[in-house]
Amino acid sequence: MALRAVRSLAILSNPLRTYSTSGPLVNVSINEKTGIATATLQRPPVNSLNLELLTELCTTLEQLEKNKSRGLILTSSSNTVFSAGLDIYEMYKPNMDRYKQFWTTLQQTWINLYGSSYPTVAVVNGHAPAGGCLLALSCEYRIMLNNFTIGLNETKLGMIAPTWFAASMRNAIGTRQTELALITGNLFTTDEALKIGLVDEVVQSKNEALEKAGKFFDKFKRIPPHARTMTKTSLRGADIQALVKSRNEEMNKLTAFINDPKLQEAIGMYLESLKQKQNK
Amino acid sequence: MALRAVRSLAILSNPLRTYSTSGPLVNVSINEKTGIATATLQRPPVNSLNLELLTELCTTLEQLEKNKSRGLILTSSSNTVFSAGLDIYEMYKPNMDRYKQFWTTLQQTWINLYGSSYPTVAVVNGHAPAGGCLLALSCEYRIMLNNFTIGLNETKLGMIAPTWFAASMRNAIGTRQTELALITGNLFTTDEALKIGLVDEVVQSKNEALEKAGKFFDKFKRIPPHARTMTKTSLRGADIQALVKSRNEEMNKLTAFINDPKLQEAIGMYLESLKQKQNK
Amino acid sequence: MALRAVRSLAILSNPLRTYSTSGPLVNVSINEKTGIATATLQRPPVNSLNLELLTELCTTLEQLEKNKSRGLILTSSSNTVFSAGLDIYEMYKPNMDRYKQFWTTLQQTWINLYGSSYPTVAVVNGHAPAGGCLLALSCEYRIMLNNFTIGLNETKLGMIAPTWFAASMRNAIGTRQTELALITGNLFTTDEALKIGLVDEVVQSKNEALEKAGKFFDKFKRIPPHARTMTKTSLRGADIQALVKSRNEEMNKLTAFINDPKLQEAIGMYLESLKQKQNK
């Protein structure tokens, strides 16, 4: 019941207000010396991405953009999970207004993160399946702690990774590895992820990860920000434009898909099995 | 003269009837335990792809699709050749109706194989030049026996690999390796092919290959087929749509090209040189 | 002041006449035995690409095309610099007619080199930043001497590598490495360049490089040239068409951009700092 409790709590906290710094689900701190922001996902136990968390994250990214941030580290307050991906409760018997807002916010979060003008590093300090992997893939650089798993495992859940999830993965590991990863829904160990380029560095501790992140940001110290931004846009712009063009169409397909009785039944059974496990 | 004899035989056998299981040129068996089909090319001596073989293969693929196959292994009955590629007799002084049917069937075979909803593994148990390499590339996974060669060597024959041959290769080994491979018409040894990702595994025997193929199919045991299919379509669909859009245009270009007197003369000389070799 | 002196000299030499063999800035020799042409950039001290050098190079490439060349080696007469890239004096307080001609010639040079029908090898016998790297990337094969650097470092200079620079790099090293290289403006050492595929071979001397280049050309000895050409066009044609379509638009954007007072001020300061260094 932990998941639902946290979710209810989050709803009460009014997720739509503008966070100037931190919210209850995303802690934002800025290093005064370097100007680098750290956004820490803090929705125990597994940082499931619900509307409230995504709204906070999306708003945080917009503010960093407006404030011409020097860089962002995205990480987790948990020692075992970076993010477990989309909160399945958002897909179970959803209120359609909320569901649409949920998906729209996910799309916008990706657009803001994948297309950010400032440098971004994911410090993957725990498991990162599905939507957790997407967040990591949307950054420019991925540093992962040992002994965890990462991947777009949607097919294993009977779902399909949207085209922009696939585009983010292709951008990192190329077409062949993306195809193999997506059709098998594979979760890679940290070492496997390093080998295929799904992460850029492997470390033993979060501190070591933060140190390596600092070295990545240092590469931009003498680079005029507008040149960096325009270069990144020229490389990632096509993927983003593809979603901008198709976002309404995608929403229409999903709202039809999510109400399929068989899908709802399957999700219900999956949630029931989770409860059984937690009650043991 | 072996090639021609086999070809004449094949024509007599009425290539256009529907094969529910096996035909004279493609043996199809289905493992009752796993549901995996094995299609074995059996057109001695070198599995040249003529209209009849392609028609059988194309029909086989359609039937597997309709029957919601659990998977396909594509291999050869020969111990030395997977497939020598397109039958050059189909291009020598062709009857144009037959030539058009030949090429249309090749296009459709690729569409069916590259875009199959079921998992596909090529067990490359012999040389796989040109069209033989294309068949292997159209599968999702390639397991190759040692001491053979594979590649799209069309330029060496004075021909151009069609764009969808190139797309299939790019999907497997990326843009750079594809460019080098295609402009040089390189045939890679098994080990070289492994190194650049043109094949996924190297084995010492066909039995070992079949075992490895089984492990690949096992990855899909718990994956809902519709999720796998939609994921594969989202990744390979653009390549297939590109051919669907251009297939008539391609045919028109080819029918003009194939009747070039110089090309026909060159093919004639090539066939004459083959006969000289066989008569020695 | 060496740069400016050389430039003035070049202008006087009437850059627009047609060079049947060599010009003052590009020495062209043809190996009578193999038919391979060697174009040696010879604009001391650093082969900065100004209008005159580009015009010579562009014309040379056109003539090789017309003469159905067997191949081209692109190299430098310097022992330390392959090419330092675009001549910054072409961008400083430019005469707009000359500036437009400069950029048009750069575009056409790339179209001719990247899309050449004949095989091309860059013998990178010195540093190759920015436009120098572009020339190397436009060839089919890159052989680099040890202990130099290469890369598209435009962002470090506050500039953006045009989309066709990026496309040329992506063609060689893929999407991921291109993104990392371009946003950081990284200059790779010879060994780093080999590791990511930015160059194909590393050698210790120019003689060794020329020997390796010979081996690359040997791959095409038995390949009918028209098959090679059509194959290369089918692979690189889309990148070239993208520039052909957008070249006027790019020019319009650049002519607006180049006259930005802040940019001119920045270039002025940069040139002043170069002079200070040279006077020391």
Side-chain angles (χ1 to χ4, degrees), chain A residues 154-163 166 170 175-180 182-186 257, chain B residues 139-142 170-173 200 216 219-220 222-224 226-228 230-232 234-236:
Chain A
E154 277 77 358
T155 54
K156 276 209 178 119
L157 312 173
M159 294 164 132
I160 301 108
T163 51
R170 200 183 293 118
T175 301
R176 172 61 180 161
Q177 292 300 334
T178 296
E179 180 177 295
L180 277 181
L182 290 191
I183 61 175
T184 63
N186 196 29
F257 177 68
Chain B
C139 293
E140 297 171 12
Y141 205 71
R142 283 158 288 285
R170 199 183 293 120
N171 190 59
I173 63 172
D200 299 290
F216 181 74
K219 292 177 194 278
F220 303 107
R222 293 180 195 163
I223 293 185
H226 76 278
R228 219 199 82 88
M230 291 181 69
T231 299
K232 184 170 174 182
S234 84
L235 296 169
R236 295 195 172 188

Short mmCIF file of all heavy atoms in Angstrom, two decimals, chain A residues 154-163 166 170 175-180 182-186 257, chain B residues 139-142 170-173 200 216 219-220 222-224 226-228 230-232 234-236:
data_model
loop_
_atom_site.label_atom_id
_atom_site.label_comp_id
_atom_site.label_asym_id
_atom_site.label_seq_id
_atom_site.Cartn_x
_atom_site.Cartn_y
_atom_site.Cartn_z
N GLU A 154 9.50 -2.47 -21.64
CA GLU A 154 8.05 -2.37 -21.84
C GLU A 154 7.42 -3.64 -22.40
O GLU A 154 6.34 -4.04 -21.97
CB GLU A 154 7.73 -1.16 -22.74
CG GLU A 154 7.66 0.17 -22.02
CD GLU A 154 9.03 0.74 -21.70
OE1 GLU A 154 10.05 0.09 -22.00
OE2 GLU A 154 9.10 1.85 -21.14
N THR A 155 8.08 -4.28 -23.39
CA THR A 155 7.44 -5.47 -23.99
C THR A 155 7.18 -6.54 -22.95
O THR A 155 6.18 -7.26 -23.05
CB THR A 155 8.27 -6.09 -25.14
OG1 THR A 155 9.58 -6.37 -24.68
CG2 THR A 155 8.33 -5.17 -26.35
N LYS A 156 8.05 -6.65 -21.96
CA LYS A 156 7.86 -7.66 -20.92
C LYS A 156 6.58 -7.42 -20.13
O LYS A 156 6.02 -8.34 -19.52
CB LYS A 156 9.06 -7.68 -19.96
CG LYS A 156 10.19 -8.53 -20.50
CD LYS A 156 11.03 -9.14 -19.40
CE LYS A 156 12.13 -10.02 -19.98
NZ LYS A 156 13.47 -9.56 -19.63
N LEU A 157 6.11 -6.16 -20.13
CA LEU A 157 4.88 -5.82 -19.42
C LEU A 157 3.70 -5.80 -20.39
O LEU A 157 2.61 -5.36 -20.04
CB LEU A 157 5.03 -4.45 -18.75
CG LEU A 157 6.31 -4.25 -17.93
CD1 LEU A 157 6.42 -2.80 -17.46
CD2 LEU A 157 6.33 -5.20 -16.73
N GLY A 158 3.93 -6.26 -21.63
CA GLY A 158 2.85 -6.27 -22.60
C GLY A 158 2.58 -4.90 -23.21
O GLY A 158 1.55 -4.67 -23.83
N MET A 159 3.54 -3.99 -23.03
CA MET A 159 3.35 -2.64 -23.55
C MET A 159 4.40 -2.34 -24.62
O MET A 159 5.32 -3.13 -24.83
CB MET A 159 3.47 -1.64 -22.42
CG MET A 159 2.33 -1.83 -21.44
SD MET A 159 2.70 -1.01 -19.88
CE MET A 159 1.16 -0.14 -19.65
N ILE A 160 4.27 -1.19 -25.28
CA ILE A 160 5.19 -0.82 -26.34
C ILE A 160 5.87 0.49 -25.96
O ILE A 160 5.20 1.45 -25.58
CB ILE A 160 4.41 -0.62 -27.67
CG1 ILE A 160 3.69 -1.90 -28.02
CG2 ILE A 160 5.35 -0.18 -28.80
CD1 ILE A 160 2.20 -1.82 -27.84
N ALA A 161 7.17 0.51 -26.02
CA ALA A 161 7.89 1.76 -25.79
C ALA A 161 7.52 2.74 -26.89
O ALA A 161 7.69 2.42 -28.07
CB ALA A 161 9.40 1.51 -25.77
N PRO A 162 7.01 3.93 -26.54
CA PRO A 162 6.67 4.92 -27.57
C PRO A 162 7.88 5.24 -28.45
O PRO A 162 9.03 5.02 -28.04
CB PRO A 162 6.25 6.15 -26.75
CG PRO A 162 5.79 5.61 -25.44
CD PRO A 162 6.67 4.42 -25.19
N THR A 163 7.61 5.77 -29.63
CA THR A 163 8.69 6.03 -30.60
C THR A 163 9.76 6.95 -30.03
O THR A 163 10.93 6.82 -30.37
CB THR A 163 8.13 6.67 -31.89
OG1 THR A 163 7.32 7.79 -31.53
CG2 THR A 163 7.29 5.67 -32.66
N ALA A 166 12.15 5.03 -27.91
CA ALA A 166 13.07 4.31 -28.81
C ALA A 166 14.09 5.25 -29.42
O ALA A 166 15.27 4.91 -29.51
CB ALA A 166 12.27 3.60 -29.91
N ARG A 170 18.06 4.93 -29.24
CA ARG A 170 18.84 4.85 -30.48
C ARG A 170 19.93 5.93 -30.49
O ARG A 170 21.05 5.70 -30.93
CB ARG A 170 17.92 5.01 -31.69
CG ARG A 170 18.52 4.50 -32.98
CD ARG A 170 17.62 4.75 -34.18
NE ARG A 170 16.40 3.98 -34.13
CZ ARG A 170 15.17 4.50 -34.08
NH1 ARG A 170 15.00 5.81 -34.10
NH2 ARG A 170 14.12 3.73 -34.04
N THR A 175 21.07 1.72 -33.66
CA THR A 175 19.87 1.03 -34.12
C THR A 175 19.85 -0.45 -33.72
O THR A 175 18.85 -0.94 -33.21
CB THR A 175 19.78 1.13 -35.66
OG1 THR A 175 19.73 2.52 -36.01
CG2 THR A 175 18.55 0.43 -36.18
N ARG A 176 20.94 -1.15 -33.94
CA ARG A 176 20.96 -2.60 -33.71
C ARG A 176 20.71 -2.96 -32.25
O ARG A 176 19.88 -3.80 -31.93
CB ARG A 176 22.30 -3.18 -34.16
CG ARG A 176 22.52 -4.65 -33.82
CD ARG A 176 21.51 -5.56 -34.47
NE ARG A 176 21.70 -6.97 -34.15
CZ ARG A 176 20.75 -7.88 -34.30
NH1 ARG A 176 19.55 -7.56 -34.75
NH2 ARG A 176 20.99 -9.14 -34.02
N GLN A 177 21.47 -2.33 -31.36
CA GLN A 177 21.32 -2.64 -29.95
C GLN A 177 19.94 -2.22 -29.45
O GLN A 177 19.37 -2.86 -28.56
CB GLN A 177 22.43 -1.96 -29.12
CG GLN A 177 23.82 -2.52 -29.38
CD GLN A 177 23.93 -4.00 -29.04
OE1 GLN A 177 23.19 -4.53 -28.22
NE2 GLN A 177 24.85 -4.68 -29.69
N THR A 178 19.41 -1.13 -30.01
CA THR A 178 18.08 -0.70 -29.61
C THR A 178 17.04 -1.74 -30.00
O THR A 178 16.15 -2.08 -29.21
CB THR A 178 17.74 0.66 -30.26
OG1 THR A 178 18.66 1.64 -29.76
CG2 THR A 178 16.32 1.10 -29.94
N GLU A 179 17.16 -2.26 -31.22
CA GLU A 179 16.19 -3.28 -31.65
C GLU A 179 16.23 -4.49 -30.74
O GLU A 179 15.18 -4.95 -30.25
CB GLU A 179 16.47 -3.70 -33.09
CG GLU A 179 15.49 -4.74 -33.59
CD GLU A 179 15.69 -5.12 -35.05
OE1 GLU A 179 15.51 -4.26 -35.92
OE2 GLU A 179 16.04 -6.29 -35.33
N LEU A 180 17.42 -5.00 -30.50
CA LEU A 180 17.55 -6.19 -29.64
C LEU A 180 17.01 -5.89 -28.24
O LEU A 180 16.31 -6.72 -27.64
CB LEU A 180 19.01 -6.63 -29.54
CG LEU A 180 19.55 -7.50 -30.66
CD1 LEU A 180 20.99 -7.87 -30.39
CD2 LEU A 180 18.70 -8.78 -30.84
N LEU A 182 14.79 -3.62 -27.26
CA LEU A 182 13.35 -3.35 -27.17
C LEU A 182 12.50 -4.59 -27.44
O LEU A 182 11.51 -4.80 -26.75
CB LEU A 182 12.96 -2.23 -28.14
CG LEU A 182 13.45 -0.83 -27.77
CD1 LEU A 182 12.76 0.21 -28.65
CD2 LEU A 182 13.20 -0.51 -26.31
N ILE A 183 12.87 -5.40 -28.43
CA ILE A 183 12.01 -6.56 -28.71
C ILE A 183 12.10 -7.59 -27.58
O ILE A 183 11.13 -8.28 -27.30
CB ILE A 183 12.29 -7.21 -30.08
CG1 ILE A 183 13.72 -7.73 -30.20
CG2 ILE A 183 11.95 -6.28 -31.21
CD1 ILE A 183 14.00 -8.49 -31.51
N THR A 184 13.26 -7.66 -26.93
CA THR A 184 13.39 -8.62 -25.83
C THR A 184 13.02 -7.98 -24.49
O THR A 184 12.93 -8.69 -23.48
CB THR A 184 14.83 -9.17 -25.71
OG1 THR A 184 15.71 -8.08 -25.42
CG2 THR A 184 15.28 -9.84 -26.99
N GLY A 185 12.83 -6.67 -24.46
CA GLY A 185 12.51 -6.00 -23.20
C GLY A 185 13.59 -6.19 -22.15
O GLY A 185 13.31 -6.30 -20.96
N ASN A 186 14.82 -6.22 -22.63
CA ASN A 186 15.93 -6.60 -21.75
C ASN A 186 16.26 -5.55 -20.70
O ASN A 186 16.30 -4.36 -20.97
CB ASN A 186 17.18 -6.85 -22.61
CG ASN A 186 18.25 -7.62 -21.86
OD1 ASN A 186 17.92 -8.40 -20.95
ND2 ASN A 186 19.49 -7.40 -22.19
N PHE A 257 -6.57 3.06 -26.09
CA PHE A 257 -5.86 1.85 -25.66
C PHE A 257 -6.05 1.58 -24.16
O PHE A 257 -6.30 0.45 -23.74
CB PHE A 257 -4.37 2.03 -25.99
CG PHE A 257 -3.48 0.90 -25.55
CD1 PHE A 257 -3.56 -0.35 -26.16
CD2 PHE A 257 -2.53 1.09 -24.55
CE1 PHE A 257 -2.72 -1.38 -25.77
CE2 PHE A 257 -1.70 0.05 -24.16
CZ PHE A 257 -1.79 -1.18 -24.76
N CYS B 139 16.65 -11.38 -40.92
CA CYS B 139 16.27 -12.01 -39.65
C CYS B 139 16.65 -11.09 -38.49
O CYS B 139 17.34 -10.09 -38.66
CB CYS B 139 16.97 -13.36 -39.53
SG CYS B 139 16.37 -14.57 -40.74
N GLU B 140 16.21 -11.45 -37.29
CA GLU B 140 16.53 -10.64 -36.11
C GLU B 140 17.87 -11.01 -35.48
O GLU B 140 18.44 -10.23 -34.72
CB GLU B 140 15.43 -10.82 -35.06
CG GLU B 140 14.08 -10.32 -35.52
CD GLU B 140 12.97 -10.69 -34.56
OE1 GLU B 140 13.27 -11.14 -33.43
OE2 GLU B 140 11.80 -10.55 -34.95
N TYR B 141 18.34 -12.22 -35.81
CA TYR B 141 19.54 -12.74 -35.14
C TYR B 141 20.26 -13.65 -36.11
O TYR B 141 19.63 -14.40 -36.85
CB TYR B 141 19.12 -13.51 -33.89
CG TYR B 141 20.17 -13.59 -32.80
CD1 TYR B 141 20.51 -12.47 -32.06
CD2 TYR B 141 20.82 -14.80 -32.52
CE1 TYR B 141 21.46 -12.55 -31.05
CE2 TYR B 141 21.77 -14.88 -31.51
CZ TYR B 141 22.10 -13.75 -30.78
OH TYR B 141 23.04 -13.80 -29.79
N ARG B 142 21.58 -13.58 -36.12
CA ARG B 142 22.38 -14.35 -37.07
C ARG B 142 23.43 -15.18 -36.33
O ARG B 142 24.25 -14.62 -35.57
CB ARG B 142 23.08 -13.41 -38.05
CG ARG B 142 22.16 -12.85 -39.14
CD ARG B 142 22.66 -11.59 -39.76
NE ARG B 142 22.54 -10.46 -38.86
CZ ARG B 142 21.40 -9.84 -38.56
NH1 ARG B 142 20.27 -10.24 -39.13
NH2 ARG B 142 21.37 -8.83 -37.72
N ARG B 170 22.43 -1.71 -42.73
CA ARG B 170 22.63 -0.58 -41.82
C ARG B 170 21.95 -0.87 -40.48
O ARG B 170 22.47 -0.53 -39.42
CB ARG B 170 22.05 0.69 -42.45
CG ARG B 170 22.60 1.96 -41.82
CD ARG B 170 21.96 3.20 -42.42
NE ARG B 170 22.33 3.42 -43.80
CZ ARG B 170 21.45 3.47 -44.80
NH1 ARG B 170 20.16 3.32 -44.58
NH2 ARG B 170 21.87 3.66 -46.03
N ASN B 171 20.80 -1.50 -40.55
CA ASN B 171 20.07 -1.86 -39.32
C ASN B 171 20.91 -2.78 -38.43
O ASN B 171 20.82 -2.74 -37.21
CB ASN B 171 18.77 -2.58 -39.70
CG ASN B 171 17.84 -2.77 -38.52
OD1 ASN B 171 17.43 -1.81 -37.89
ND2 ASN B 171 17.54 -4.03 -38.21
N ALA B 172 21.78 -3.58 -39.07
CA ALA B 172 22.58 -4.53 -38.29
C ALA B 172 23.94 -3.97 -37.89
O ALA B 172 24.38 -4.17 -36.76
CB ALA B 172 22.78 -5.82 -39.09
N ILE B 173 24.62 -3.26 -38.80
CA ILE B 173 26.01 -2.89 -38.50
C ILE B 173 26.29 -1.39 -38.55
O ILE B 173 27.43 -0.97 -38.40
CB ILE B 173 27.01 -3.62 -39.43
CG1 ILE B 173 26.81 -3.22 -40.89
CG2 ILE B 173 26.91 -5.13 -39.27
CD1 ILE B 173 27.90 -3.76 -41.82
N ASP B 200 25.79 -12.39 -35.06
CA ASP B 200 25.73 -12.20 -33.60
C ASP B 200 26.51 -13.25 -32.83
O ASP B 200 27.00 -12.98 -31.74
CB ASP B 200 24.27 -12.21 -33.15
CG ASP B 200 23.49 -11.08 -33.80
OD1 ASP B 200 23.75 -9.93 -33.42
OD2 ASP B 200 22.67 -11.34 -34.68
N PHE B 216 17.85 -17.84 -28.11
CA PHE B 216 17.32 -16.54 -28.56
C PHE B 216 15.79 -16.55 -28.46
O PHE B 216 15.19 -15.60 -27.95
CB PHE B 216 17.77 -16.24 -29.99
CG PHE B 216 17.28 -14.91 -30.50
CD1 PHE B 216 17.84 -13.72 -30.06
CD2 PHE B 216 16.24 -14.83 -31.41
CE1 PHE B 216 17.38 -12.49 -30.51
CE2 PHE B 216 15.76 -13.60 -31.87
CZ PHE B 216 16.34 -12.43 -31.43
N LYS B 219 14.09 -15.93 -25.11
CA LYS B 219 13.95 -14.56 -24.61
C LYS B 219 12.52 -14.04 -24.77
O LYS B 219 12.13 -13.06 -24.12
CB LYS B 219 14.90 -13.62 -25.38
CG LYS B 219 16.38 -13.85 -25.12
CD LYS B 219 17.23 -12.90 -25.99
CE LYS B 219 18.69 -13.30 -26.02
NZ LYS B 219 19.45 -12.83 -24.86
N PHE B 220 11.76 -14.66 -25.69
CA PHE B 220 10.42 -14.15 -25.96
C PHE B 220 9.33 -14.95 -25.26
O PHE B 220 8.15 -14.68 -25.45
CB PHE B 220 10.18 -14.13 -27.48
CG PHE B 220 11.21 -13.31 -28.20
CD1 PHE B 220 12.20 -13.92 -28.95
CD2 PHE B 220 11.22 -11.93 -28.05
CE1 PHE B 220 13.17 -13.16 -29.58
CE2 PHE B 220 12.19 -11.16 -28.67
CZ PHE B 220 13.17 -11.79 -29.44
N ARG B 222 8.15 -15.07 -22.33
CA ARG B 222 7.21 -14.37 -21.45
C ARG B 222 6.81 -13.00 -21.99
O ARG B 222 6.33 -12.16 -21.25
CB ARG B 222 7.84 -14.21 -20.07
CG ARG B 222 8.01 -15.54 -19.37
CD ARG B 222 8.62 -15.40 -18.01
NE ARG B 222 9.09 -16.69 -17.54
CZ ARG B 222 9.94 -16.86 -16.54
NH1 ARG B 222 10.39 -15.80 -15.89
NH2 ARG B 222 10.34 -18.07 -16.17
N ILE B 223 7.06 -12.80 -23.27
CA ILE B 223 6.71 -11.50 -23.84
C ILE B 223 5.44 -11.63 -24.67
O ILE B 223 5.38 -12.41 -25.60
CB ILE B 223 7.87 -10.98 -24.71
CG1 ILE B 223 9.06 -10.68 -23.78
CG2 ILE B 223 7.46 -9.75 -25.50
CD1 ILE B 223 10.22 -10.05 -24.43
N PRO B 224 4.39 -10.86 -24.30
CA PRO B 224 3.14 -10.91 -25.07
C PRO B 224 3.43 -10.60 -26.54
O PRO B 224 4.03 -9.56 -26.86
CB PRO B 224 2.29 -9.80 -24.42
CG PRO B 224 2.84 -9.65 -23.04
CD PRO B 224 4.31 -9.93 -23.16
N HIS B 226 1.80 -9.48 -29.05
CA HIS B 226 1.38 -8.23 -29.69
C HIS B 226 2.35 -7.09 -29.34
O HIS B 226 2.60 -6.21 -30.15
CB HIS B 226 -0.05 -7.85 -29.29
CG HIS B 226 -0.15 -7.31 -27.90
ND1 HIS B 226 -0.19 -8.11 -26.78
CD2 HIS B 226 -0.16 -6.02 -27.44
CE1 HIS B 226 -0.24 -7.36 -25.70
NE2 HIS B 226 -0.21 -6.09 -26.06
N ALA B 227 2.91 -7.12 -28.13
CA ALA B 227 3.86 -6.07 -27.73
C ALA B 227 5.14 -6.18 -28.56
O ALA B 227 5.71 -5.19 -29.02
CB ALA B 227 4.17 -6.16 -26.25
N ARG B 228 5.61 -7.43 -28.75
CA ARG B 228 6.78 -7.69 -29.57
C ARG B 228 6.56 -7.19 -31.00
O ARG B 228 7.39 -6.49 -31.57
CB ARG B 228 7.03 -9.21 -29.61
CG ARG B 228 8.47 -9.65 -29.56
CD ARG B 228 8.56 -11.09 -30.08
NE ARG B 228 8.60 -11.05 -31.52
CZ ARG B 228 9.71 -10.92 -32.22
NH1 ARG B 228 10.88 -10.88 -31.63
NH2 ARG B 228 9.66 -10.85 -33.53
N MET B 230 4.33 -5.01 -32.26
CA MET B 230 4.19 -3.57 -32.43
C MET B 230 5.53 -2.86 -32.23
O MET B 230 5.83 -1.86 -32.89
CB MET B 230 3.13 -3.03 -31.48
CG MET B 230 1.73 -3.50 -31.87
SD MET B 230 0.43 -2.86 -30.77
CE MET B 230 0.46 -1.11 -31.20
N THR B 231 6.34 -3.40 -31.33
CA THR B 231 7.67 -2.82 -31.10
C THR B 231 8.55 -2.98 -32.34
O THR B 231 9.19 -2.04 -32.80
CB THR B 231 8.33 -3.48 -29.87
OG1 THR B 231 7.51 -3.22 -28.73
CG2 THR B 231 9.72 -2.93 -29.64
N LYS B 232 8.54 -4.20 -32.90
CA LYS B 232 9.35 -4.44 -34.09
C LYS B 232 8.87 -3.56 -35.25
O LYS B 232 9.69 -2.99 -35.98
CB LYS B 232 9.27 -5.92 -34.48
CG LYS B 232 10.16 -6.29 -35.65
CD LYS B 232 10.23 -7.80 -35.84
CE LYS B 232 10.99 -8.20 -37.10
NZ LYS B 232 11.03 -9.66 -37.29
N SER B 234 7.44 -0.69 -35.06
CA SER B 234 7.81 0.71 -34.84
C SER B 234 9.28 0.95 -35.19
O SER B 234 9.67 2.07 -35.50
CB SER B 234 7.50 1.14 -33.41
OG SER B 234 8.56 0.78 -32.53
N LEU B 235 10.10 -0.11 -35.13
CA LEU B 235 11.52 0.04 -35.42
C LEU B 235 11.85 -0.20 -36.90
O LEU B 235 12.64 0.51 -37.49
CB LEU B 235 12.34 -0.93 -34.55
CG LEU B 235 12.26 -0.66 -33.05
CD1 LEU B 235 12.87 -1.82 -32.28
CD2 LEU B 235 12.95 0.64 -32.68
N ARG B 236 11.25 -1.24 -37.49
CA ARG B 236 11.58 -1.59 -38.88
C ARG B 236 10.59 -1.05 -39.89
O ARG B 236 10.80 -1.17 -41.11
CB ARG B 236 11.67 -3.13 -39.01
CG ARG B 236 12.80 -3.74 -38.20
CD ARG B 236 13.08 -5.18 -38.64
NE ARG B 236 14.28 -5.69 -38.01
CZ ARG B 236 14.86 -6.84 -38.31
NH1 ARG B 236 14.35 -7.64 -39.25
NH2 ARG B 236 15.97 -7.24 -37.70
#
